[in-house]
Amino acid sequence: MVIGGELDLASGPEFEQALEEIARSPVEQLVIDLRELDFMDSTGLSIIVKVHQRFDDDGREVCLVRGPAQVQRLLDLTGVADRLRVVDSPE
């Protein structure tokens, strides 16, 4: 899943709904590509943490593709980057 633009209070519900549909499917690994994201706030961060927890509870994995500096800084400062697998490319 590639997300772009801004992930914040305004766009969060749409992103969360898309993730909810994916979480209901039998997919074993969800890759969220953050490279096209211009901005992410705590709303986006919270949504990612929730989907990670849901997948983890089911024995599945969420993987993030490293985003731009602002996005990566948020993940690093909050410790989320330590809890989730973060890679440089979706491959």
Side-chain angles (χ1 to χ4, degrees):
M1 163 180 255
V2 177
I3 55 173
E6 296 184 357
L7 181 52
D8 54 15
L9 188 60
S11 61
E14 183 179 340
F15 177 58
E16 190 167 26
Q17 183 178 12
L19 290 177
E20 184 64 32
E21 290 176 25
I22 293 169
R24 285 193 298 261
S25 75
V27 67
E28 289 297 316
Q29 183 183 57
L30 170 61
V31 178
I32 303 173
D33 189 337
L34 306 176
R35 293 178 294 179
E36 294 183 22
L37 206 55
D38 298 322
F39 173 80
M40 180 170 67
D41 69 5
S42 61
T43 302
L45 186 67
S46 174
I47 293 167
I48 288 172
V49 168
K50 281 193 270 186
V51 77
H52 168 261
Q53 188 62 52
R54 180 168 178 180
F55 267 65
D56 193 54
D57 288 348
D58 293 340
R60 302 184 291 169
E61 181 182 30
V62 172
C63 179
L64 301 177
V65 177
R66 191 175 313 280
Q70 182 275 329
V71 172
Q72 196 58 41
R73 190 173 325 117
L74 179 62
L75 295 172
D76 291 339
L77 289 174
T78 58
V80 172
D82 296 332
R83 293 180 54 203
L84 278 80
R85 185 170 165 214
V86 180
V87 296
D88 292 323
S89 71
E91 292 77 40

